[in-house]
Amino acid sequence: MASVPSLASTVQQRLAEGLSAALPEAGAADPLLRRSDRADFQANGILALAKRFKGNPRELATKVVDAIPANDVLAEIEVSGPGFLNITVSDAAIVRTLAARAADARLGVPLNEAAGTTVIDYAQPNVAKEMHVGHLRSAVIGAAMVEILEFTGETVVRRHHIGDWGTQFGMLIQYLIEHPHELDHGSEGGEVSGEEAMSSLNRLYKASRALFDSDEEFKTRARARVVDLQAGDEQTLALWQRFVDESKIYFYSVFDKLDMDVRDPDIVGESGYNDMLQETCRLLEESGVAVRSEGALCVFFDDVKGPDGNPVPLIVQKSDGGFGYAATDLSAIRDRVGSLKASTLLYVVDARQSLHFKMVFETARRAGWLNDEVKAVQLAFGTVLGKDGKPFKTREGETIRLVDLLDEAIDRASAVVREKAQDLTEEEIAERGTQVGIGAVKYADLSTSAARDYKFDLDQMVSLNGDTSVYIQYAYARIRSILRKAGEAKPAAHPELALAASERALGLHLDGFGETVAEAAAEYAPHKVAGYLYQLASLYTTFYSECPVLKADTPEQVESRLFLCELTARTLHQGMALLGIRTPERL
């Protein structure tokens, strides 16, 4: 189906035609249309045009208005101030546009036919280590961008670049060789839970670390084991794989709780690029992009200097022959561009790693792996803070476990659902509590611009009032309740009916859904979708309080208001799905 033009684009087109007729020498000039609180839209482009062609802006604005033929979209155009146009559209035009959106399975969200392939690197936990609050944002923001980009037509390849390689594995594997039952579980043959898997890994990690720090002979054996691992020794690799598999049981349990779809083929950790590291270094050195400095292979940048004023290089290979993160990240770029044919590489990574990625991307550009056809972008995110505005930690100063945080959110949300619940069983309350609690955590993250830090405040997150997912979920559930009670009455668009002020406001906002989603995709800005949905729920609440739906004056008005209800519900449901948040039918 062809994309549904928004009311804004129709108005823009009418104005552009008027401009061309009034001022042919301006060519295809932009009227600079935007939503306005003085009318439905305001056009500001005439001022700049008048200045360019040395004319009087008010006179030019009047000529433009006179040049627009009578039509059924523009109800009124007023010339205001020095030459602004205040535009009011007809009620019938609003309803007809909404009817076209309602007839489209995509709700008018444009499908980008020329979209490319984006590889999104997000949700990067570490093997044998617990996921903590710091892992939350990469997972939640990345998953939302996957949904938004796929919905707008992009081919998306998910990549979870887990930390599954490095010197600590020598310590872990050597300890497991000497204590072979440390990863055994009591329930032989039974299914292992994520908590059990993490408990075993935690115990083993702490014990091996204590031994490594206190026993020089064990430390020597552990370091020798790293060499065996890197050399591909069979027994060592088999034990390393046990750590990876055990960790995956745990990862999947956390991602499952987060209601995130993480698949095995999408997990390509640091180890996945081992075979490419030597060649990456060779290509960089032979092309002159990287040079040897004190034995290490380095890339230098004019604008990156340390506190002492000396250049800080990107170290691709250390002087002892070992490889750092840069070698792995550059090999991953080669793989994603060469094998996966990516046109965009999107990294959802903490803002504190911005300098590293700036240097990695610039190195890849110099090497020719990134160019005008292939771009790399860091979607950098800020820190999760406690209510006090300081980094979020336990009272003991420990990093907070992600699982504990999610469980507490579910408990709080379940209490809210139970308080409001009507006709819900305990099982339904538990299910809704999970959907509301996880939704609350995701929405609090996604409603903030990714680059900003945000405060983790569960009391606020599960509140029924204010900018929360619970407020939006309740608006959706309320609409579903109205539609269930409608009986024989069916939603139908009635362009012939006049609209109340709150109906107009709701209709005009519904019309902006497609443009908002397209903008969020282009700018990697999921918070724009969240902001749109909160405003939609707020406008619906005003409409609901001012306009009786099932008790409207005429059967046609009942149908018309049910139509607005249904389109609002579909838009809320689709928008929340793009953020990875469930919308329960009943709350």
Side-chain angles (χ1 to χ4, degrees), residues 129 167-168 171-172 175 202-215 218-219:
K129 288 188 182 171
T167 53
Q168 77 272 22
M171 174 184 87
L172 292 166
Y175 188 85
N202 259 342
R203 191 174 61 245
L204 194 147
Y205 190 89
K206 284 175 180 166
S208 63
R209 169 55 70 185
L211 196 58
F212 187 86
D213 290 342
S214 62
D215 185 331
F218 175 75
K219 187 182 283 190

Side-chain angles (χ1 to χ4, degrees), residues 138-151:
S138 176
V140 169
I141 295 167
M145 281 316 309
V146 167
E147 297 297 333
I148 291 168
L149 289 174
E150 281 190 335
F151 192 66

Side-chain angles (χ1 to χ4, degrees), residues 110-144:
L111 190 64
N112 183 359
E113 303 290 350
T117 297
T118 296
V119 176
I120 303 190
D121 189 325
Y122 69 109
Q124 310 103 344
N126 293 310
V127 164
K129 288 188 182 171
E130 195 130 31
M131 288 177 73
H132 54 76
V133 67
H135 291 112
L136 180 65
R137 299 207 74 186
S138 176
V140 169
I141 295 167

Side-chain angles (χ1 to χ4, degrees), residues 125-129 162-164 168-169 172 201 240 243-244 247 251:
N126 293 310
V127 164
K129 288 188 182 171
I162 64 171
D164 66 351
Q168 77 272 22
F169 284 100
L172 292 166
L201 289 165
W240 166 81
F243 281 104
V244 174
S247 297
F251 295 158

Side-chain angles (χ1 to χ4, degrees), residues 45-66:
I46 290 169
L47 278 75
L49 278 174
K51 190 175 178 185
R52 190 169 129 212
F53 291 99
K54 299 184 170 48
N56 179 308
R58 270 192 77 91
E59 284 177 18
L60 177 56
T62 306
K63 272 177 76 176
V64 170
V65 174
D66 291 343

Side-chain angles (χ1 to χ4, degrees), residues 26-45:
D30 186 352
L32 297 180
L33 190 74
R34 62 180 178 81
R35 288 296 309 278
S36 168
D37 51 10
R38 298 185 173 225
D40 295 333
F41 298 97
Q42 187 176 76
N44 303 335

